[in-house]
Amino acid sequence: MSLLLPLRAVLTGAPGAGKTTLLDAAAAAGWRTSPEVAREILRAEGGMALRENDPLAFAEAMLEAHRREYERHAAHPGPVLFDRGLPDVVGFLDVSGLPVAPEIDRACRTLRYTGPVFRAPAWSAIYTQDPERIQDWAGAVASDEAVTSAWKRYGYDPLDLPLAGVEERLALIAQSLH
């Protein structure tokens, strides 16, 4: 007899590719969701300075926030859709040219997501910068490549979402989760 684990699905991919909008639509439809922790850190006092002046400490802050979110949803029996996950921290470090600390690597290997990983690819038609999304278009593409590579490094096979409206993307995810 096999034990079925609750689905822990993830939205990853390029900055500005529609992940937060999609997550908000999922929450509005009654799904259990987890927000993007990096954006929350960046919005906190000193968050942008931390990212700019000490990217390793920023990565550690993201690691701790992802761990808290992972644990917060651990007892929930149904599906949870996370906006990014632990391997995204590795992608951030890779695109920044920084080493991956053993603690971050260990977390990526031990705290596993059990549902599909959906990748929102870079999408120039909807990409815009904002106060927390500071990458230019080339930086957004590089970030997408780095985080996708990181997810694959940890044994996940990200499924590309179409460059389509929220409803179509949400329906595709719903087919995989329910």
Side-chain angles (χ1 to χ4, degrees):
M1 183 170 127
S2 67
L3 176 65
L4 290 176
L5 297 173
L7 287 176
R8 302 292 180 253
V10 178
L11 288 173
T12 190
K19 294 179 303 298
T20 301
T21 300
L22 186 54
L23 193 81
D24 290 346
W31 300 13
R32 187 168 184 122
T33 61
S34 174
E36 182 183 1
V37 300
R39 192 167 279 264
E40 291 182 345
I41 295 167
L42 292 170
R43 286 181 178 157
E45 186 173 338
M48 289 299 292
L50 180 65
R51 183 181 190 267
E52 183 177 324
N53 300 326
D54 194 348
L56 287 173
F58 179 68
E60 290 170 2
M62 285 192 295
L63 170 68
E64 290 310 312
H66 278 298
R67 276 187 179 151
R68 281 192 305 274
E69 281 299 302
Y70 188 93
E71 292 301 321
R72 184 168 76 91
H73 297 286
H76 182 67
V80 178
L81 186 58
F82 291 83
D83 190 341
R84 298 199 178 274
L86 290 158
D88 283 274
V89 177
V90 173
F92 168 77
L93 291 168
D94 287 348
V95 80
S96 300
L98 298 169
V100 177
E103 180 183 9
I104 295 172
D105 179 67
R106 188 171 30 262
C108 289
R109 293 184 189 288
T110 58
L111 299 174
R112 305 295 294 174
Y113 299 92
T114 55
V117 175
F118 300 98
R119 175 182 166 255
W123 189 359
S124 63
I126 66 169
Y127 182 78
T128 58
Q129 292 177 296
D130 65 26
E132 292 91 29
R133 188 183 304 122
I134 58 174
Q135 304 94 337
D136 62 12
W137 174 246
V141 171
S143 178
D144 180 33
E145 291 170 356
V147 298
T148 301
S149 177
W151 281 94
K152 290 178 180 178
R153 184 181 327 161
Y154 289 100
Y156 297 94
D157 187 20
L159 304 169
D160 285 354
L161 293 172
L163 303 181
V166 173
E167 296 79 18
E168 184 177 335
R169 284 177 155 190
L170 195 58
L172 183 117
I173 293 171
Q175 287 177 332
S176 298
L177 297 184
H178 300 324

